[in-house]
C-alpha cells in the first residue's frame, strides 16, 4: 500500500489542503455523512478493514469525490490536484487523512490505527401524557336554539336532575360560554371542576371511570393534542 501511495505522492499531498478550502465544502459534507453512515452509533471503534469495503458507504463517497474533480477541473487546477486513483478508497492512510478533514468539529473520531468511532445518539425525551377529554351527545329536548340555529342560554338548573344530567348541563353551559359546538370535546378536569362548584361534596365521586360508565351520555378519549376551549 505504501508503494502505491508513493507513486501518487504529489496528488496526495495537495488533496488535503484542497479539502480544507471553501470550494470543497460540499465534499467535506458528503465525507462526514459517509463516515457517519459507515458505522453504527454504538460508541465502538470500527477497524478500517470493516469499513473500507468495495461496496461500502465510503467507497461510494470516493466515487463522488473523483466525479467532483473530473467535473470541476477549474477549481482543482490552481491547487495542482488531479483526479485521485479509483482504488485509493481501500488505503487506510488516504481515507484517514481525507475523513479527518471531513469530520472536524463533529462528534465522529477518525484514527489511522483504530478506525472510525461514532458515539451513541442521545435518546429523544418522552412526551408528557395528554389530559383526558370528554364530550357528550346532544340530549333530546334539553336545549333550545334560535331561528338561525345558534344555541341559546339554558334555563336555571333544576334540583331534581340526576348527576349525569347535571354533568350534561355543565357541558352545555361551557359550550355556550365559549361559543363552541356543544358536541365538541373539552377537558375532563374543566367539566369536573364546574360540577364540584355546582354540587359541592356530591361531586367527589366523579372521576374518569365515572364518565366512562355512561357511554350513552359521554365519550371519553385520550387527546393527542389539547386545544383551548
Amino acid at each position: 500500500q505504501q508503494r502505491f501511495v508513493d507513486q501518487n505522492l504529489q496528488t496526495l499531498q495537495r488533496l488535503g489542503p484542497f479539502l480544507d478550502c471553501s470550494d470543497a465544502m460540499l465534499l467535506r459534507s458528503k465525507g462526514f455523512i459517509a463516515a457517519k453512515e459507515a458505522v453504527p452509533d454504538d460508541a465502538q471503534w470500527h477497524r478500517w478493514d470493516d469499513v473500507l469495503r468495495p461496496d461500502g458507504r465510503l467507497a461510494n463517497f470516493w466515487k463522488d469525490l473523483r466525479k467532483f474533480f473530473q467535473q470541476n477541473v477549474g477549481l482543482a487546477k490552481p491547487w495542482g490536484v488531479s483526479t485521485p486513483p479509483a482504488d485509493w478508497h481501500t488505503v487506510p492512510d488516504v481515507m484517514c487523512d481525507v475523513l479527518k478533514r471531513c469530520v472536524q468539529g463533529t462528534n465522529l473520531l477518525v484514527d489511522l490505527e483504530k478506525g472510525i468511532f461514532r458515539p451513541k445518539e442521545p435518546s429523544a425525551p418522552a412526551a408528557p401524557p395528554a389530559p383526558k377529554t370528554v364530550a357528550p351527545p346532544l340530549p333530546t329536548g334539553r336545549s333550545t336554539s334560535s331561528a338561525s340555529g345558534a344555541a341559546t342560554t339554558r334555563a336555571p338548573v333544576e334540583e331534581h336532575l340526576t348527576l349525569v344530567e347535571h354533568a350534561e348541563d355543565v357541558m352545555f353551559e361551557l359550550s355556550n360560554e365559549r361559543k363552541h359546538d356543544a358536541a365538541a370535546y373539552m377537558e375532563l378536569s374543566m367539566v369536573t371542576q364546574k360540577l364540584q362548584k355546582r354540587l359541592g361534596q356530591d361531586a367527589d365521586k366523579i372521576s374518569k371511570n365515572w364518565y366512562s360508565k355512561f357511554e350513552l351520555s359521554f365519550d371519553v378519549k385520550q387527546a393527542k393534542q389539547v386545544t383551548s376551549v
Side-chain angles (χ1 to χ4, degrees), residues 48 91-101 110-112:
W48 292 111
V91 183
D93 303 71
V94 174
M95 295 305 294
C96 179
D97 183 72
V98 169
L99 292 179
K100 276 186 175 180
R101 301 173 188 275
V110 177
D111 184 87
L112 180 58

Side-chain angles (χ1 to χ4, degrees), residues 14-35 57-58 60-72 75-76 79 81-84 95 98-104:
R14 295 176 179 177
L15 177 61
F18 174 77
L19 288 174
D20 290 334
C21 75
S22 58
D23 291 333
M25 183 180 299
L26 178 61
L27 277 180
R28 293 197 302 270
S29 177
K30 289 185 175 182
F32 165 72
I33 294 173
R57 188 63 184 85
L58 293 177
N60 292 334
F61 161 65
W62 193 254
K63 292 179 182 178
D64 290 340
L65 182 142
R66 297 186 72 248
K67 185 177 180 180
F68 176 88
F69 282 110
Q70 291 167 354
Q71 296 179 348
N72 297 277
L75 289 178
W79 297 83
V81 183
S82 58
T83 303
M95 295 305 294
V98 169
L99 292 179
K100 276 186 175 180
R101 301 173 188 275
C102 297
V103 303
Q104 288 183 27

Side-chain angles (χ1 to χ4, degrees), residues 12-205:
L12 179 64
Q13 289 175 337
R14 295 176 179 177
L15 177 61
F18 174 77
L19 288 174
D20 290 334
C21 75
S22 58
D23 291 333
M25 183 180 299
L26 178 61
L27 277 180
R28 293 197 302 270
S29 177
K30 289 185 175 182
F32 165 72
I33 294 173
K36 184 177 181 180
E37 294 179 350
V39 297
D41 59 335
D42 55 3
Q44 300 289 332
W45 283 98
H46 294 267
R47 296 168 54 87
W48 292 111
D49 291 343
D50 298 325
V51 298
L52 298 183
R53 300 187 303 272
D55 58 346
R57 188 63 184 85
L58 293 177
N60 292 334
F61 161 65
W62 193 254
K63 292 179 182 178
D64 290 340
L65 182 142
R66 297 186 72 248
K67 185 177 180 180
F68 176 88
F69 282 110
Q70 291 167 354
Q71 296 179 348
N72 297 277
V73 178
L75 289 178
K77 186 175 181 180
W79 297 83
V81 183
S82 58
T83 303
D87 293 340
W88 270 15
H89 75 273
T90 63
V91 183
D93 303 71
V94 174
M95 295 305 294
C96 179
D97 183 72
V98 169
L99 292 179
K100 276 186 175 180
R101 301 173 188 275
C102 297
V103 303
Q104 288 183 27
T106 72
N107 58 359
L108 292 184
L109 301 177
V110 177
D111 184 87
L112 180 58
E113 299 298 328
K114 299 178 181 179
I116 301 177
F117 178 93
R118 180 182 171 190
K120 291 184 177 180
E121 301 290 342
S123 302
K132 302 290 189 301
T133 60
V134 58
L138 295 175
T140 304
R142 303 200 57 232
S143 63
T144 59
S145 60
S146 64
S148 63
T152 61
T153 304
R154 294 177 58 82
V157 176
E158 300 180 23
E159 294 299 330
H160 64 271
L161 294 180
T162 65
L163 191 55
V164 172
E165 291 171 332
H166 275 299
E168 291 177 347
D169 255 354
V170 164
M171 297 190 74
F172 277 103
E173 289 175 4
L174 288 172
S175 66
N176 284 339
E177 291 171 3
R178 291 160 176 76
K179 302 186 184 304
H180 283 182
D181 182 1
Y185 286 90
M186 58 187 65
E187 290 189 27
L188 196 97
S189 59
M190 182 188 305
V191 179
T192 302
Q193 184 178 13
K194 195 169 182 66
L195 264 177
Q196 289 173 338
K197 289 182 179 180
R198 173 189 285 214
L199 302 176
Q201 294 183 349
D202 291 339
D204 289 346
K205 61 182 179 182

